[in-house]
């Protein structure tokens, strides 16, 4: 893992251990936003994984979508049918 990815992973873990228990479960997607961020960082590195995680957090709001939203596979386009959440196609 790159230094940037490790720093971002540390930030996500600090959120999970320090802030998330106080706020309680709030994520509208599965996997949760923090789990998504950790998976994206592991699969794509600091820059692209950080971008995917930030984009996901921005979509997680009361007027946004919900449901299954997996991390795109490395080498696949983010909007391809294999990586798009099923609720986006309805």
């Amino acid at each position: 893992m790159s230094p940037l990815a490790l720093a971002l992973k540390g930030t996500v873990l600090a959120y999970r251990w320090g802030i998330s228990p106080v706020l309680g479960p709030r994520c509208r997607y599965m996997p949760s936003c923090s789990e998504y961020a950790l998976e994206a960082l592991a699969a794509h590195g600091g820059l692209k994984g950080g971008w995917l995680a930030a984009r996901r957090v921005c979509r997680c709001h009361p007027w946004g979508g919900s449901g299954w939203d997996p991390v795109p596979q490395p080498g696949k386009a983010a909007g391809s049918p294999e990586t798009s959440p099923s609720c986006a196609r309805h």
Side-chain angles (χ1 to χ4, degrees):
M1 224 179 232
S2 70
L4 177 60
L6 286 174
L8 292 173
K9 180 179 178 181
T11 303
V12 172
L13 292 175
Y15 165 79
R16 286 180 103 179
W17 294 332
I19 298 172
S20 183
V22 175
L23 296 177
R26 295 182 179 268
C27 195
R28 302 171 56 85
Y29 292 102
M30 289 300 294
S32 69
C33 291
S34 60
E35 184 63 31
Y36 182 95
L38 293 175
E39 289 178 23
L41 291 169
H44 297 282
L47 287 176
K48 185 170 182 183
W51 168 251
L52 289 170
R55 206 175 77 189
R56 166 68 178 278
V57 169
C58 289
R59 286 193 320 258
C60 194
H61 55 80
W63 303 280
S66 63
W68 178 246
D69 182 25
V71 175
Q73 299 287 328
K76 301 249 186 202
S80 67
E82 296 86 19
T83 60
S84 296
S86 61
C87 61
R89 289 182 261 161
H90 296 283

